[in-house]
mmCIF file of all heavy atoms in Angstrom:
data_model
loop_
_atom_site.group_PDB
_atom_site.id
_atom_site.type_symbol
_atom_site.label_atom_id
_atom_site.label_comp_id
_atom_site.label_asym_id
_atom_site.label_seq_id
_atom_site.Cartn_x
_atom_site.Cartn_y
_atom_site.Cartn_z
ATOM 1 N N ILE G 1121 7.797 1.906 -9.944
ATOM 2 C CA ILE G 1121 6.857 3.031 -9.887
ATOM 3 C C ILE G 1121 5.535 2.413 -9.408
ATOM 4 O O ILE G 1121 4.955 1.547 -10.087
ATOM 5 C CB ILE G 1121 6.646 3.712 -11.262
ATOM 6 C CG1 ILE G 1121 7.977 4.300 -11.735
ATOM 7 C CG2 ILE G 1121 5.604 4.775 -11.204
ATOM 8 C CD1 ILE G 1121 8.526 5.433 -10.899
ATOM 9 N N ARG G 1122 5.022 2.833 -8.272
ATOM 10 C CA ARG G 1122 3.832 2.163 -7.709
ATOM 11 C C ARG G 1122 2.544 2.957 -8.000
ATOM 12 O O ARG G 1122 1.478 2.378 -8.015
ATOM 13 C CB ARG G 1122 4.072 2.062 -6.193
ATOM 14 C CG ARG G 1122 5.253 1.187 -5.842
ATOM 15 C CD ARG G 1122 5.467 1.105 -4.356
ATOM 16 N NE ARG G 1122 6.627 0.218 -4.040
ATOM 17 C CZ ARG G 1122 7.857 0.693 -3.879
ATOM 18 N NH1 ARG G 1122 8.127 1.956 -3.976
ATOM 19 N NH2 ARG G 1122 8.851 -0.142 -3.612
ATOM 20 N N ASP G 1123 2.657 4.247 -8.241
ATOM 21 C CA ASP G 1123 1.480 5.063 -8.459
ATOM 22 C C ASP G 1123 1.776 6.012 -9.649
ATOM 23 O O ASP G 1123 2.218 7.153 -9.464
ATOM 24 C CB ASP G 1123 1.123 5.895 -7.226
ATOM 25 C CG ASP G 1123 -0.196 6.645 -7.312
ATOM 26 O OD1 ASP G 1123 -0.704 6.805 -8.453
ATOM 27 O OD2 ASP G 1123 -0.738 7.020 -6.287
ATOM 28 N N PRO G 1124 1.538 5.535 -10.886
ATOM 29 C CA PRO G 1124 1.863 6.320 -12.098
ATOM 30 C C PRO G 1124 1.192 7.676 -12.112
ATOM 31 O O PRO G 1124 1.801 8.687 -12.515
ATOM 32 C CB PRO G 1124 1.436 5.421 -13.228
ATOM 33 C CG PRO G 1124 1.478 4.069 -12.698
ATOM 34 C CD PRO G 1124 1.057 4.196 -11.266
ATOM 35 N N TYR G 1170 8.307 0.825 -18.664
ATOM 36 C CA TYR G 1170 8.963 1.830 -17.940
ATOM 37 C C TYR G 1170 9.604 2.915 -18.816
ATOM 38 O O TYR G 1170 9.500 4.102 -18.561
ATOM 39 C CB TYR G 1170 10.035 1.216 -16.997
ATOM 40 C CG TYR G 1170 9.481 0.845 -15.668
ATOM 41 C CD1 TYR G 1170 9.065 -0.487 -15.465
ATOM 42 C CD2 TYR G 1170 9.397 1.716 -14.625
ATOM 43 C CE1 TYR G 1170 8.554 -0.873 -14.174
ATOM 44 C CE2 TYR G 1170 8.932 1.347 -13.381
ATOM 45 C CZ TYR G 1170 8.501 0.054 -13.168
ATOM 46 O OH TYR G 1170 8.006 -0.344 -11.947
ATOM 47 N N HIS G 1500 0.888 -4.086 -18.760
ATOM 48 C CA HIS G 1500 2.010 -4.060 -17.769
ATOM 49 C C HIS G 1500 1.604 -3.190 -16.634
ATOM 50 O O HIS G 1500 1.535 -1.930 -16.716
ATOM 51 C CB HIS G 1500 3.261 -3.510 -18.433
ATOM 52 C CG HIS G 1500 3.951 -4.469 -19.356
ATOM 53 N ND1 HIS G 1500 4.402 -5.716 -18.947
ATOM 54 C CD2 HIS G 1500 4.263 -4.404 -20.693
ATOM 55 C CE1 HIS G 1500 4.957 -6.348 -19.946
ATOM 56 N NE2 HIS G 1500 4.855 -5.619 -20.984
ATOM 57 N N GLU G 1501 1.324 -3.807 -15.478
ATOM 58 C CA GLU G 1501 0.960 -3.018 -14.333
ATOM 59 C C GLU G 1501 2.208 -2.412 -13.706
ATOM 60 O O GLU G 1501 3.273 -2.975 -13.806
ATOM 61 C CB GLU G 1501 0.260 -3.922 -13.292
ATOM 62 C CG GLU G 1501 -0.995 -4.578 -13.798
ATOM 63 C CD GLU G 1501 -2.070 -3.549 -14.182
ATOM 64 O OE1 GLU G 1501 -1.835 -2.362 -13.970
ATOM 65 O OE2 GLU G 1501 -3.093 -3.953 -14.719
ATOM 66 N N PRO G 1502 2.107 -1.253 -13.112
ATOM 67 C CA PRO G 1502 0.871 -0.521 -12.808
ATOM 68 C C PRO G 1502 0.424 0.446 -13.921
ATOM 69 O O PRO G 1502 -0.452 1.266 -13.681
ATOM 70 C CB PRO G 1502 1.261 0.283 -11.553
ATOM 71 C CG PRO G 1502 2.708 0.634 -11.810
ATOM 72 C CD PRO G 1502 3.309 -0.535 -12.556
ATOM 73 N N PHE G 1503 1.011 0.361 -15.053
ATOM 74 C CA PHE G 1503 0.752 1.323 -16.145
ATOM 75 C C PHE G 1503 -0.505 1.012 -16.995
ATOM 76 O O PHE G 1503 -0.965 1.847 -17.688
ATOM 77 C CB PHE G 1503 1.969 1.482 -17.045
ATOM 78 C CG PHE G 1503 3.248 1.751 -16.340
ATOM 79 C CD1 PHE G 1503 4.225 0.777 -16.287
ATOM 80 C CD2 PHE G 1503 3.461 2.933 -15.675
ATOM 81 C CE1 PHE G 1503 5.410 1.005 -15.609
ATOM 82 C CE2 PHE G 1503 4.618 3.165 -15.004
ATOM 83 C CZ PHE G 1503 5.589 2.188 -14.947
ATOM 84 N N GLY G 1504 -0.996 -0.232 -16.910
ATOM 85 C CA GLY G 1504 -2.087 -0.639 -17.719
ATOM 86 C C GLY G 1504 -1.668 -1.090 -19.085
ATOM 87 O O GLY G 1504 -0.600 -1.595 -19.297
#
Side-chain angles (χ1 to χ4, degrees):
I1121 299 294
R1122 300 177 178 93
D1123 188 340
Y1170 271 94
H1500 284 301
E1501 299 300 356
F1503 307 112

